[in-house]
Amino acid sequence: MLHPLPPDKPTSRQFDLIAFDWDGTLFDSTAIITRCIQNAVRDVGGVVPSDKDAAYVIGMGLMQALAHAAPDVPADRYPELGARYRHHYIAHQNDISLFEGVLTMLSDLKSRQHLLTVATGKSRHGLDDALQAVELKGMFDGSRTADETAGKPHPRMLQELMREFDVDPARTLMIGDTTHDLQMALNAGCPSVGVSYGAHEPDAFIALNPRYVAHSVRELHDWLLENA
């Protein structure tokens, strides 16, 4: 079912649909996810990945990420590996919050009638839990998660969101903190913006040609108000 664009959209707006990654972009969760990955691998007897290697897989679907982070763990132990990751994450999920300034940024974009969506490597259950926060009620118009479509960097998440809202790639902006996010945007034919305060080092973004790299939520907010 297509959702029509909001009426009376500002003529100066460059992007009708803005898709945000979740962890490391809106949600300050990179350090905790990194530790949960390391603890899960340790629990099943695998070689514990470095902070850099564990952070690299953030944004992928869970099992794809764990398999990449723990290549020595046999496939028949992946269910146990996933269960141990979820155990550690649930124990710490209440320690995670939105980055400071995210709610104000989203509210400002909403008031300009952008369609706001989430494209994340989280599970549907995990994202829905996060979106139960009172301050996020009604903030997002749509979302896709890795367990209900193809994981990043496959473009299907963005393609499905664009079809749902009848928005062309040129009018869609993807914002994320990893090369997986920016590669997904490139694969979907969409412009992107990177943020350097999440899981990946911004030097890796250059080859993926983002419109901008923000070093804080404040910088991202200002750029979006000026350019989106």
Side-chain angles (χ1 to χ4, degrees), residues 32 35-37 39-40 43 83-93:
I32 285 177
R35 288 199 298 273
C36 290
I37 291 170
N39 288 337
D43 288 351
R84 295 309 299 165
Y85 171 81
R86 286 186 283 268
H87 166 81
H88 290 294
Y89 184 83
I90 289 169
H92 292 283
Q93 63 182 349

Side-chain angles (χ1 to χ4, degrees), residues 62-97:
L62 176 59
M63 294 318 302
Q64 177 190 7
L66 293 174
H68 194 283
D72 61 314
V73 174
D76 62 4
R77 300 201 69 184
Y78 286 175
E80 181 185 359
L81 183 61
R84 295 309 299 165
Y85 171 81
R86 286 186 283 268
H87 166 81
H88 290 294
Y89 184 83
I90 289 169
H92 292 283
Q93 63 182 349
N94 292 329
D95 302 334
I96 307 172
S97 61

Side-chain angles (χ1 to χ4, degrees), residues 21-33:
D21 170 60
W22 191 259
D23 289 305
T25 301
L26 299 180
F27 220 49
D28 188 5
S29 51
T30 299
I32 285 177
I33 291 175

Side-chain angles (χ1 to χ4, degrees), residues 109-228:
L109 294 172
K110 195 79 171 170
S111 71
R112 289 162 49 126
Q113 300 178 21
H114 293 283
L115 292 163
L116 303 183
T117 64
V118 176
T120 178
K122 295 180 79 64
S123 68
R124 170 52 59 190
H125 177 73
L127 180 62
D128 285 349
D129 275 355
L131 292 177
Q132 290 302 307
V134 172
E135 62 267 27
L136 290 172
K137 292 288 187 182
M139 188 68 75
F140 293 102
D141 300 287
S143 61
R144 287 296 186 281
T145 61
D147 60 342
E148 62 189 8
T149 184
K152 301 171 185 176
H154 194 285
R156 191 179 301 160
M157 278 190 203
L158 283 178
Q159 290 168 339
E160 290 180 357
L161 287 168
M162 289 187 289
R163 280 199 301 271
E164 180 177 345
F165 294 100
D166 194 24
V167 178
D168 292 335
R171 303 285 298 181
T172 299
L173 180 68
M174 177 67 206
I175 301 173
D177 68 309
T178 70
T179 55
H180 314 308
D181 299 312
L182 305 192
Q183 185 65 61
M184 177 176 67
L186 199 61
N187 292 345
C190 300
S192 67
V193 165
V195 302
S196 69
Y197 50 80
H200 286 191
E201 293 296 325
D203 288 351
F205 297 165
I206 296 171
L208 301 173
N209 199 30
R211 294 285 180 91
Y212 182 66
V213 176
H215 300 293
S216 66
V217 173
R218 180 72 257 176
E219 282 189 20
L220 177 61
H221 188 171
D222 290 343
W223 188 91
L224 289 170
L225 292 182
E226 182 70 24
N227 297 280

